[in-house]
Amino acid sequence: MEDREIGKEVPKGQRFVRDFIIYAAMTIPTVNIDEYRLTVDGLVDNPIILSFQDLEDMVDSDYSKDFHCVTKWSVKGVQWSGVKFSAIANKAKVKSEATWVMFYCLDGYTTPVPLEDAMVQDSILAIEMNGLPIPRENGFPVRPVIPQLYGWKSAKWLHRIEFISEYRDGYWEFYGYHERGNVWEEERFKGSDWKKIKRSVFRKE
Ligand SMILES: Nc1nc2c(c(=O)[nH]1)N[C@H]1C(S)=C(S)[C@@H](COP(=O)(O)O)O[C@H]1N2
Ligand SMILES: [Mo]
């Protein structure tokens, strides 16, 4: 993925807003940092369980990137620091059959990401946002940040990473959102029947 300067290039269909709009499709969990554990399993030779301290000890990345939600708002220059996803994957020794990653959250939310997107250089497990621990409503203590994908792939309150060999829907994908969700390709919805899917979701609420 080519590097785009902060705020300079606005992806098609997006506009900048001043601050994050909090999305919590389920609830906002409270996490006791001493009890927090991140499980890394599925198609790996070395399943691992990491504490928050383990992640802090592995921090290797710090950058600012624009954040893009599929509902068309973007936030300019959000600073993140954390651990490269590839470092975690290497520690777990991902098997060659793995092609997708499923992220599981403490609120019950899930989202799948193609392994090749998760493995890019600036794909990280963030533990700080704008120089501070991630605020509770923004996903404390850990969320993946994969800048080339829409915000719904940034799973807040992350607690499990599973490597899998076949695509499965997560929370929003079930309702018709795109399997990959690349911002620059404007992959908002699956196929061409998204309008139908969207209407049926709204009717439910
Ligand atoms: N666990 C969880 N993660 C989530 C969501 C959610 O509802 N639950 N919403 C997603 C969506 S749609 C977006 S745009 C971003 C929003 O991040 P924010 O709430 O920090 O603004 O979180 C994503 N991660
Ligand atoms: Mo979103």
Side-chain angles (χ1 to χ4, degrees):
M1 198 78 233
E2 54 275 52
D3 246 278
R4 273 134 168 142
E5 270 182 73
I6 294 161
K8 279 238 168 116
E9 205 173 334
V10 190
K12 203 159 158 267
Q14 297 296 118
R15 67 187 167 79
F16 284 113
V17 297
R18 196 175 286 274
D19 214 344
F20 275 74
I21 300 170
I22 304 299
Y23 281 135
M26 305 168 115
T27 56
I28 298 183
T30 304
V31 177
N32 176 332
I33 202 65
D34 297 324
E35 287 166 14
Y36 174 81
R37 295 292 180 275
L38 174 69
T39 300
V40 183
D41 63 3
L43 297 170
V44 297
D45 284 330
N46 180 38
I48 48 179
I49 296 177
L50 301 167
S51 66
F52 189 72
Q53 181 69 54
D54 293 333
L55 290 168
E56 276 186 321
D57 293 343
M58 291 177 75
V59 168
D60 58 6
S61 304
D62 190 325
Y63 59 69
S64 293
K65 289 276 178 184
D66 300 340
F67 184 93
H68 309 287
C69 171
V70 69
T71 63
K72 303 199 163 183
W73 55 268
S74 297
V75 180
K76 219 174 270 188
V78 186
Q79 190 199 340
W80 302 101
S81 74
V83 185
K84 284 192 173 66
F85 180 92
S86 59
I88 305 277
N90 293 340
K91 207 176 162 78
K93 302 195 191 313
V94 179
K95 291 183 198 275
S96 58
E97 306 94 273
T99 49
W100 285 83
V101 179
M102 187 65 91
F103 292 112
Y104 296 84
C105 306
L106 290 166
D107 59 343
Y109 183 92
T110 51
T111 193
V113 167
L115 183 60
E116 59 180 325
D117 280 281
M119 292 296 272
V120 301
Q121 151 87 11
D122 56 10
S123 163
I124 64 170
L125 299 184
I127 64 168
E128 277 189 13
M129 179 179 167
N130 296 325
L132 293 169
I134 298 173
R136 180 172 172 246
E137 63 274 19
N138 296 105
F140 178 84
V142 180
R143 72 188 290 180
V145 173
I146 308 172
Q148 78 275 19
L149 304 183
Y150 285 113
W152 93 83
K153 300 289 188 178
S154 176
K156 304 191 289 182
W157 315 290
L158 178 73
H159 81 108
R160 180 181 174 207
I161 299 170
E162 185 192 16
F163 290 88
I164 56 179
S165 60
E166 267 174 57
Y167 169 82
R168 294 201 305 264
D169 279 341
Y171 183 87
W172 283 119
E173 294 80 11
F174 173 80
Y175 290 111
Y177 284 85
H178 198 275
E179 294 88 340
R180 177 170 70 156
N182 182 286
V183 169
W184 304 99
E185 302 291 330
E186 212 183 357
E187 293 170 340
R188 296 178 193 273
F189 305 101
K190 287 176 186 162
S192 55
D193 57 346
W194 65 269
K195 278 187 179 136
K196 198 167 62 206
I197 294 163
K198 218 178 164 194
R199 267 202 305 278
S200 72
V201 173
F202 287 143
R203 211 176 296 133
K204 261 194 201 162
E205 285 162 1

